[in-house]
Amino acid sequence: MDKLAIVVPCYNEEEVLKITSKVLREVLEDLIGKEKIAPDSFILFVNDGSQDRTWNLIEEEHSAYPVQVCGVKLARNVGHQFALTAGLLTAKDMCDVTISIDADLQDDVAVIEEMIDKFHAGNDIVYGVRRERKTDTFFKRTTAQGFYRLMGLMGVKTVYNHADFRLMSRRAVEEFSKYKETNLFLRGMVPLIGYQTDNVYYDRRERVAGESKYPLKKMLALAFNGISSFSVKPISLILGLGLFIILVSVLAAVYALVSYFTGHVVQGWTSLILSIWFLGGLQLLAVGLVGQYIGKIYIEVKERPRYNIEKILTAGEDRSA
Ligand code: UDP
Ligand code: MG
């Protein structure tokens, strides 16, 4: 039977930790009872440098339930994406399948069973997708939707309305670990892995207790990081703009020359206006061109795996990667 690890990043979550632990333990027990996961499946709390009693509570839970509750203590606060990665990479050698979920239980634990079923049906990655955003404020809803749209325009493949509530098989996490980049944006990286994937749908709730650890500033940083880590399109946009301005400068030249010959202009205006347009366009073009090379260097230094092998058929035996 497959051993499940539920990975939960926690930053100053003392108000919810005990509840979360209880709810997730119940989920595990239920699935173990139904023989869908191994009896030694567990929850892995990752304490992301909390300043409150979060770690003490994790320790308490671990001594009360040594098999079911495990913990990782990060030496300092590194942020949600890194904390989650730390948890997944720690869990991967201890289990067959992982599910990541936030500590605040906003994501519906009821669909965990469905995720496991889809895993058993042959999916390596199962995305938890929010059905609608009723519980969000108007502001959060519109900014989030704008964000997904912008990501799409920039050519970053993400799953619409999916945050980091997700099942990943051990081999998917193994492939993920080959992405060595430091600027992490998991929602963009996981779809790069490949494998058979599926979605489960749920309604997102209010936080059980406590406050959001993602203020607007962190949200904007995440959004910008998502785009700048995945797309060199902004650079191409500069190049395109440069070309466009040079085209405009041709039109401006026609206009300026016509004005010049019909004699309605101040001395020196024609040469001045032509230089402004043409040089402006030329500069943007040059910056964009240099940018193309920088973009390539950027992609090269990431050293992302160029492909992920799923299966090899040979004369000897069939092997899964
Ligand atoms: N989190 C973390 N490190 C941080 C900020 C947040 O590990 O620096 C965790 C947090 O404990 C929670 C998850 O990331 O489990 C999502 O945070 P939150 O629920 O505050 O975000 P929101 O749902 O409001 O977007
Ligand atoms: Mg939350």
Side-chain angles (χ1 to χ4, degrees):
M1 232 177 300
D2 293 309
K3 186 167 166 184
L4 168 69
I6 302 182
V7 179
V8 192
C10 310
Y11 175 60
N12 292 347
E13 298 285 9
E14 62 181 6
E15 281 162 289
V16 298
L17 201 109
K18 289 261 169 175
I19 313 169
T20 306
S21 173
K22 182 164 178 291
V23 171
L24 291 177
R25 273 188 284 110
E26 281 164 5
V27 171
L28 286 182
E29 263 158 43
D30 178 47
L31 292 174
I32 292 167
K34 289 177 179 163
E35 303 202 336
K36 291 192 176 186
I37 55 172
D40 53 351
S41 296
F42 62 98
I43 306 162
L44 185 68
F45 286 110
V46 182
N47 177 35
D48 183 15
S50 302
Q51 286 112 28
D52 63 2
R53 293 190 59 251
T54 301
W55 180 248
N56 306 56
L57 296 178
I58 295 172
E59 282 179 326
E60 276 172 30
E61 285 293 294
H62 175 63
S63 31
Y65 311 94
V67 180
Q68 283 177 310
V69 179
C70 302
V72 175
K73 186 182 186 191
L74 298 181
R76 64 180 169 91
N77 178 251
V78 292
H80 176 223
Q81 300 284 297
F82 288 107
L84 185 50
T85 304
L88 288 173
L89 296 189
T90 310
K92 93 175 153 58
D93 300 322
M94 298 151 56
C95 69
D96 303 300
V97 54
T98 65
I99 289 178
S100 52
I101 188 167
D102 288 350
D104 55 11
L105 295 180
Q106 282 190 285
D107 304 314
D108 190 1
V109 296
V111 297
I112 289 181
E113 180 168 357
E114 206 184 322
M115 283 180 161
I116 294 289
D117 290 341
K118 296 211 157 155
F119 167 65
H120 286 140
N123 294 289
D124 277 273
I125 301 168
V126 184
Y127 298 102
V129 175
R130 302 173 59 172
R131 217 174 268 130
E132 47 196 325
R133 290 177 164 265
K134 261 194 244 150
T135 50
D136 276 356
T137 58
F138 173 77
F139 179 72
K140 183 134 188 174
R141 195 165 53 224
T142 28
T143 48
Q145 269 158 2
F147 167 65
Y148 287 108
R149 201 152 300 149
L150 188 64
M151 294 294 282
L153 281 177
M154 290 293 150
V156 187
K157 244 182 77 188
T158 49
V159 179
Y160 187 70
N161 265 350
H162 157 73
D164 285 308
F165 182 28
R166 162 178 67 228
L167 175 145
M168 286 172 83
S169 68
R170 182 189 173 138
R171 65 172 187 174
V173 181
E174 195 73 59
E175 290 305 319
F176 167 72
S177 71
K178 293 180 186 164
Y179 291 74
K180 302 284 183 208
E181 59 208 75
T182 309
N183 285 291
L184 289 181
F185 183 66
L186 274 84
R187 276 171 248 183
M189 292 165 74
V190 175
L192 292 178
I193 297 172
Y195 290 134
Q196 187 178 319
T197 68
D198 205 343
N199 298 342
V200 295
Y201 297 89
Y202 67 99
D203 292 313
R204 194 163 155 114
R205 298 188 208 143
E206 306 275 0
R207 236 175 191 280
V208 169
E211 278 176 3
S212 171
K213 311 292 181 288
Y214 256 103
L216 182 65
K217 203 173 130 210
K218 273 196 196 169
M219 252 168 59
L220 287 177
L222 182 77
F224 184 72
N225 190 21
I227 291 166
S228 61
S229 305
F230 274 82
S231 175
V232 289
K233 259 209 175 142
I235 301 176
S236 303
L237 288 180
I238 296 178
L239 190 66
L241 191 66
L243 279 173
F244 177 73
I245 301 273
I246 286 192
L247 277 181
V248 173
S249 83
V250 174
L251 298 182
V254 174
Y255 172 70
L257 288 175
V258 169
S259 308
Y260 177 74
F261 285 116
T262 47
H264 298 304
V265 294
V266 184
Q267 185 80 40
W269 176 81
T270 315
S271 52
L272 202 63
I273 211 73
L274 283 181
S275 318
I276 288 174
W277 276 99
F278 184 69
L279 284 179
L282 202 64
Q283 278 167 351
L284 274 180
L285 190 76
V287 170
L289 210 58
V290 173
Q292 291 294 310
Y293 288 92
I294 296 177
K296 291 228 159 111
I297 295 171
Y298 182 58
I299 289 174
E300 291 290 340
V301 295
K302 279 186 196 288
E303 289 190 50
R304 283 181 177 167
R306 282 165 289 185
Y307 47 79
N308 303 316
I309 293 177
E310 184 167 343
K311 258 195 186 110
I312 305 172
L313 294 182
T314 54
E317 44 176 336
D318 296 350
R319 279 194 296 135
S320 283

